[in-house]
Amino acid sequence: MNPSRNPFIAGNWKMHRTVSESVSLARAVADGSRIGPRTEVVVAPVATALAAVGKALEGARVGLSAQNVHWEDQGAFTGELSPGMLKDVGCAYCIVGHSERRQLFGETDANVHRKLLALRRHGLAPIACLGETLSERESGVTYDVLRRQLDGMLGALEREEATALLTGLIIAYEPVWAIGTGRTAKSTDAQSAHAYLRDRIRDRFGEVADTVRILYGGSVKADNAAELLAQPDVDGVLVGGASLDAAGFARIIQAAG
């Protein structure tokens, strides 16, 4: 990890845990994790538990993230939540563009771009996900996919506008073939993808690239977190199933230093 970028550890609980179970898990993470002085930790419970978890985490060194958002402030969008609503229940972060949203619910790069702008407008930090499928990886087009997704998410912004968007933006590289499969990208492969993304941002927008934190996600566990986090362009991890176990998640947090 680059010492100029604070390590960032996020737990995506996906569609797991009731409200009471989420509160218990959040308290266990907050009470049982030895969080380093520079490390930031965030959990993303289901939408129904956001308010209760936010209240349970008041005063703790664990932040609150939503798993999705709509780009409009209000309107006839049944089932959706706006950035203002998320902020109202204590969220400071929001995951957007996760591969499950892309594959199962038709999320597009253009919609992710809208969501990024909306979140930044409300002062929330997006955790923007991208990554290639197994077939794309085997076809040798990983970097083409990453470039298309990254450029689509950031849109056709001028450098000044892009700098404002990128300040506080967190990117999560999640190779789709490694999510929930037990397969993890080699640390060197993760580093190569992260370096490519940072170089692409630098080519388009300049030195702000050095401030953007890029996380790795995809079957992250306590026994592989340290090796991943040791890579110079891996600034943290986005953890799925392993974040549902407070003790295991605590070990991942400790791997960040």
Side-chain angles (χ1 to χ4, degrees), residues 10 17 22 32 47 51 83 91 96 111 120-121 124 134 156 178-179 182 190 196 199 229:
R17 302 293 188 268
S22 296
C91 289
V96 293
N111 284 349
R120 296 305 294 140
R121 188 170 66 248
L124 278 73
L134 180 59
I179 298 174
Y196 174 81
D199 287 343
L229 291 167

PDB file of all heavy atoms in Angstrom, residues 10 17 22 32 47 51 83 91 96 111 120-121 124 134 156 178-179 182 190 196 199 229:
ATOM      1  N   ALA A  10     -13.572  -2.512   3.548  1.00  0.00           N
ATOM      2  CA  ALA A  10     -15.029  -2.426   3.492  1.00  0.00           C
ATOM      3  C   ALA A  10     -15.638  -3.817   3.499  1.00  0.00           C
ATOM      4  O   ALA A  10     -15.142  -4.727   2.825  1.00  0.00           O
ATOM      5  CB  ALA A  10     -15.466  -1.676   2.236  1.00  0.00           C
ATOM      6  N   ARG A  17     -28.586 -11.009   6.816  1.00  0.00           N
ATOM      7  CA  ARG A  17     -28.813 -10.531   8.173  1.00  0.00           C
ATOM      8  C   ARG A  17     -30.066  -9.646   8.287  1.00  0.00           C
ATOM      9  O   ARG A  17     -30.315  -8.752   7.495  1.00  0.00           O
ATOM     10  CB  ARG A  17     -27.593  -9.768   8.721  1.00  0.00           C
ATOM     11  CG  ARG A  17     -26.295 -10.561   8.738  1.00  0.00           C
ATOM     12  CD  ARG A  17     -26.377 -11.707   9.742  1.00  0.00           C
ATOM     13  NE  ARG A  17     -25.089 -12.366   9.924  1.00  0.00           N
ATOM     14  CZ  ARG A  17     -24.668 -13.438   9.240  1.00  0.00           C
ATOM     15  NH1 ARG A  17     -25.443 -13.951   8.304  1.00  0.00           N
ATOM     16  NH2 ARG A  17     -23.491 -13.980   9.489  1.00  0.00           N
ATOM     17  N   SER A  22     -27.851  -7.579  12.073  1.00  0.00           N
ATOM     18  CA  SER A  22     -26.911  -6.602  11.516  1.00  0.00           C
ATOM     19  C   SER A  22     -26.335  -5.718  12.616  1.00  0.00           C
ATOM     20  O   SER A  22     -25.139  -5.406  12.621  1.00  0.00           O
ATOM     21  CB  SER A  22     -27.610  -5.734  10.457  1.00  0.00           C
ATOM     22  OG  SER A  22     -28.026  -6.510   9.358  1.00  0.00           O
ATOM     23  N   GLY A  32     -14.529  -5.621  18.390  1.00  0.00           N
ATOM     24  CA  GLY A  32     -13.549  -6.688  18.336  1.00  0.00           C
ATOM     25  C   GLY A  32     -12.391  -6.474  17.380  1.00  0.00           C
ATOM     26  O   GLY A  32     -11.494  -7.316  17.293  1.00  0.00           O
ATOM     27  N   ALA A  47     -30.461  -2.505   3.243  1.00  0.00           N
ATOM     28  CA  ALA A  47     -31.064  -1.181   3.366  1.00  0.00           C
ATOM     29  C   ALA A  47     -31.962  -1.062   4.592  1.00  0.00           C
ATOM     30  O   ALA A  47     -32.008  -0.010   5.243  1.00  0.00           O
ATOM     31  CB  ALA A  47     -31.846  -0.850   2.094  1.00  0.00           C
ATOM     32  N   ALA A  51     -30.403   2.387   9.177  1.00  0.00           N
ATOM     33  CA  ALA A  51     -30.633   3.342  10.264  1.00  0.00           C
ATOM     34  C   ALA A  51     -30.207   2.760  11.607  1.00  0.00           C
ATOM     35  O   ALA A  51     -29.535   3.431  12.405  1.00  0.00           O
ATOM     36  CB  ALA A  51     -32.106   3.760  10.292  1.00  0.00           C
ATOM     37  N   PRO A  83     -29.566   9.659  -2.586  1.00  0.00           N
ATOM     38  CA  PRO A  83     -28.395   9.975  -1.758  1.00  0.00           C
ATOM     39  C   PRO A  83     -28.761  10.682  -0.457  1.00  0.00           C
ATOM     40  O   PRO A  83     -28.185  10.390   0.597  1.00  0.00           O
ATOM     41  CB  PRO A  83     -27.556  10.878  -2.673  1.00  0.00           C
ATOM     42  CG  PRO A  83     -27.944  10.489  -4.056  1.00  0.00           C
ATOM     43  CD  PRO A  83     -29.404  10.166  -3.969  1.00  0.00           C
ATOM     44  N   CYS A  91     -25.251   7.284   6.479  1.00  0.00           N
ATOM     45  CA  CYS A  91     -24.275   6.774   5.506  1.00  0.00           C
ATOM     46  C   CYS A  91     -23.288   7.861   5.112  1.00  0.00           C
ATOM     47  O   CYS A  91     -23.676   9.013   4.873  1.00  0.00           O
ATOM     48  CB  CYS A  91     -24.979   6.268   4.247  1.00  0.00           C
ATOM     49  SG  CYS A  91     -25.912   4.748   4.465  1.00  0.00           S
ATOM     50  N   VAL A  96     -21.466   1.344  -5.634  1.00  0.00           N
ATOM     51  CA  VAL A  96     -22.183   1.453  -6.907  1.00  0.00           C
ATOM     52  C   VAL A  96     -21.488   0.586  -7.957  1.00  0.00           C
ATOM     53  O   VAL A  96     -20.281   0.371  -7.903  1.00  0.00           O
ATOM     54  CB  VAL A  96     -22.268   2.916  -7.418  1.00  0.00           C
ATOM     55  CG1 VAL A  96     -23.144   3.748  -6.507  1.00  0.00           C
ATOM     56  CG2 VAL A  96     -20.883   3.531  -7.539  1.00  0.00           C
ATOM     57  N   ASN A 111     -25.229   4.629 -15.922  1.00  0.00           N
ATOM     58  CA  ASN A 111     -25.969   4.811 -14.676  1.00  0.00           C
ATOM     59  C   ASN A 111     -25.026   4.961 -13.485  1.00  0.00           C
ATOM     60  O   ASN A 111     -25.300   5.726 -12.556  1.00  0.00           O
ATOM     61  CB  ASN A 111     -26.920   3.640 -14.450  1.00  0.00           C
ATOM     62  CG  ASN A 111     -28.153   3.701 -15.336  1.00  0.00           C
ATOM     63  OD1 ASN A 111     -28.403   4.718 -15.985  1.00  0.00           O
ATOM     64  ND2 ASN A 111     -28.908   2.631 -15.376  1.00  0.00           N
ATOM     65  N   ARG A 120     -21.533  12.435  -4.909  1.00  0.00           N
ATOM     66  CA  ARG A 120     -20.583  13.500  -4.607  1.00  0.00           C
ATOM     67  C   ARG A 120     -21.301  14.819  -4.341  1.00  0.00           C
ATOM     68  O   ARG A 120     -20.871  15.608  -3.496  1.00  0.00           O
ATOM     69  CB  ARG A 120     -19.581  13.659  -5.763  1.00  0.00           C
ATOM     70  CG  ARG A 120     -18.693  12.449  -6.008  1.00  0.00           C
ATOM     71  CD  ARG A 120     -17.925  12.024  -4.764  1.00  0.00           C
ATOM     72  NE  ARG A 120     -16.961  13.011  -4.334  1.00  0.00           N
ATOM     73  CZ  ARG A 120     -16.726  13.336  -3.066  1.00  0.00           C
ATOM     74  NH1 ARG A 120     -17.425  12.776  -2.101  1.00  0.00           N
ATOM     75  NH2 ARG A 120     -15.820  14.228  -2.773  1.00  0.00           N
ATOM     76  N   ARG A 121     -22.405  15.035  -5.046  1.00  0.00           N
ATOM     77  CA  ARG A 121     -23.191  16.260  -4.829  1.00  0.00           C
ATOM     78  C   ARG A 121     -23.722  16.329  -3.398  1.00  0.00           C
ATOM     79  O   ARG A 121     -23.879  17.414  -2.831  1.00  0.00           O
ATOM     80  CB  ARG A 121     -24.347  16.304  -5.834  1.00  0.00           C
ATOM     81  CG  ARG A 121     -25.123  17.614  -5.834  1.00  0.00           C
ATOM     82  CD  ARG A 121     -26.089  17.707  -6.996  1.00  0.00           C
ATOM     83  NE  ARG A 121     -27.165  16.722  -6.900  1.00  0.00           N
ATOM     84  CZ  ARG A 121     -27.326  15.702  -7.712  1.00  0.00           C
ATOM     85  NH1 ARG A 121     -26.456  15.480  -8.697  1.00  0.00           N
ATOM     86  NH2 ARG A 121     -28.338  14.861  -7.565  1.00  0.00           N
ATOM     87  N   LEU A 124     -21.321  12.282  -0.207  1.00  0.00           N
ATOM     88  CA  LEU A 124     -21.060  10.877   0.099  1.00  0.00           C
ATOM     89  C   LEU A 124     -19.933  10.361  -0.791  1.00  0.00           C
ATOM     90  O   LEU A 124     -19.789  10.787  -1.933  1.00  0.00           O
ATOM     91  CB  LEU A 124     -22.310  10.025  -0.111  1.00  0.00           C
ATOM     92  CG  LEU A 124     -23.341  10.016   1.030  1.00  0.00           C
ATOM     93  CD1 LEU A 124     -24.090  11.339   1.083  1.00  0.00           C
ATOM     94  CD2 LEU A 124     -24.340   8.868   0.860  1.00  0.00           C
ATOM     95  N   LEU A 134     -14.839 -14.101 -16.351  1.00  0.00           N
ATOM     96  CA  LEU A 134     -13.871 -15.153 -16.660  1.00  0.00           C
ATOM     97  C   LEU A 134     -13.637 -15.253 -18.161  1.00  0.00           C
ATOM     98  O   LEU A 134     -12.486 -15.370 -18.609  1.00  0.00           O
ATOM     99  CB  LEU A 134     -14.362 -16.498 -16.112  1.00  0.00           C
ATOM    100  CG  LEU A 134     -13.446 -17.700 -16.371  1.00  0.00           C
ATOM    101  CD1 LEU A 134     -12.066 -17.471 -15.759  1.00  0.00           C
ATOM    102  CD2 LEU A 134     -14.067 -18.984 -15.826  1.00  0.00           C
ATOM    103  N   ALA A 156     -17.401  11.916 -19.791  1.00  0.00           N
ATOM    104  CA  ALA A 156     -16.619  12.876 -20.585  1.00  0.00           C
ATOM    105  C   ALA A 156     -16.457  14.182 -19.817  1.00  0.00           C
ATOM    106  O   ALA A 156     -16.905  15.249 -20.257  1.00  0.00           O
ATOM    107  CB  ALA A 156     -17.303  13.110 -21.932  1.00  0.00           C
ATOM    108  N   ALA A 178     -13.812 -14.089  -9.547  1.00  0.00           N
ATOM    109  CA  ALA A 178     -13.288 -14.355  -8.207  1.00  0.00           C
ATOM    110  C   ALA A 178     -14.290 -14.044  -7.105  1.00  0.00           C
ATOM    111  O   ALA A 178     -13.992 -14.229  -5.928  1.00  0.00           O
ATOM    112  CB  ALA A 178     -12.008 -13.545  -7.970  1.00  0.00           C
ATOM    113  N   ILE A 179     -15.489 -13.561  -7.461  1.00  0.00           N
ATOM    114  CA  ILE A 179     -16.457 -13.144  -6.450  1.00  0.00           C
ATOM    115  C   ILE A 179     -17.288 -14.345  -6.015  1.00  0.00           C
ATOM    116  O   ILE A 179     -18.030 -14.925  -6.807  1.00  0.00           O
ATOM    117  CB  ILE A 179     -17.373 -12.030  -6.982  1.00  0.00           C
ATOM    118  CG1 ILE A 179     -16.536 -10.787  -7.322  1.00  0.00           C
ATOM    119  CG2 ILE A 179     -18.438 -11.672  -5.954  1.00  0.00           C
ATOM    120  CD1 ILE A 179     -17.321  -9.681  -7.978  1.00  0.00           C
ATOM    121  N   GLY A 182     -14.327 -18.529  -4.300  1.00  0.00           N
ATOM    122  CA  GLY A 182     -13.158 -19.068  -3.600  1.00  0.00           C
ATOM    123  C   GLY A 182     -11.869 -18.849  -4.367  1.00  0.00           C
ATOM    124  O   GLY A 182     -10.784 -19.052  -3.833  1.00  0.00           O
ATOM    125  N   ALA A 190      -3.531  -8.720  -9.277  1.00  0.00           N
ATOM    126  CA  ALA A 190      -4.286  -7.607  -8.708  1.00  0.00           C
ATOM    127  C   ALA A 190      -3.496  -6.314  -8.830  1.00  0.00           C
ATOM    128  O   ALA A 190      -4.032  -5.268  -9.228  1.00  0.00           O
ATOM    129  CB  ALA A 190      -4.617  -7.897  -7.238  1.00  0.00           C
ATOM    130  N   TYR A 196      -2.799  -0.463 -13.747  1.00  0.00           N
ATOM    131  CA  TYR A 196      -3.377  -0.057 -15.027  1.00  0.00           C
ATOM    132  C   TYR A 196      -4.464   1.000 -14.821  1.00  0.00           C
ATOM    133  O   TYR A 196      -4.502   2.011 -15.532  1.00  0.00           O
ATOM    134  CB  TYR A 196      -3.963  -1.261 -15.759  1.00  0.00           C
ATOM    135  CG  TYR A 196      -4.701  -0.852 -17.009  1.00  0.00           C
ATOM    136  CD1 TYR A 196      -4.016  -0.582 -18.190  1.00  0.00           C
ATOM    137  CD2 TYR A 196      -6.087  -0.670 -16.994  1.00  0.00           C
ATOM    138  CE1 TYR A 196      -4.687  -0.152 -19.326  1.00  0.00           C
ATOM    139  CE2 TYR A 196      -6.765  -0.250 -18.125  1.00  0.00           C
ATOM    140  CZ  TYR A 196      -6.063   0.015 -19.289  1.00  0.00           C
ATOM    141  OH  TYR A 196      -6.734   0.448 -20.399  1.00  0.00           O
ATOM    142  N   ASP A 199      -2.887   4.298 -13.841  1.00  0.00           N
ATOM    143  CA  ASP A 199      -2.230   4.919 -14.999  1.00  0.00           C
ATOM    144  C   ASP A 199      -3.255   5.512 -15.952  1.00  0.00           C
ATOM    145  O   ASP A 199      -3.023   6.579 -16.542  1.00  0.00           O
ATOM    146  CB  ASP A 199      -1.372   3.896 -15.733  1.00  0.00           C
ATOM    147  CG  ASP A 199      -0.098   3.545 -14.982  1.00  0.00           C
ATOM    148  OD1 ASP A 199       0.279   4.309 -14.061  1.00  0.00           O
ATOM    149  OD2 ASP A 199       0.515   2.511 -15.311  1.00  0.00           O
ATOM    150  N   LEU A 229      -2.703  -6.768   0.343  1.00  0.00           N
ATOM    151  CA  LEU A 229      -2.514  -5.408   0.850  1.00  0.00           C
ATOM    152  C   LEU A 229      -1.063  -4.956   0.788  1.00  0.00           C
ATOM    153  O   LEU A 229      -0.773  -3.761   0.890  1.00  0.00           O
ATOM    154  CB  LEU A 229      -3.026  -5.321   2.298  1.00  0.00           C
ATOM    155  CG  LEU A 229      -4.554  -5.431   2.448  1.00  0.00           C
ATOM    156  CD1 LEU A 229      -4.927  -5.666   3.901  1.00  0.00           C
ATOM    157  CD2 LEU A 229      -5.236  -4.165   1.914  1.00  0.00           C
TER     158      LEU A 229
END
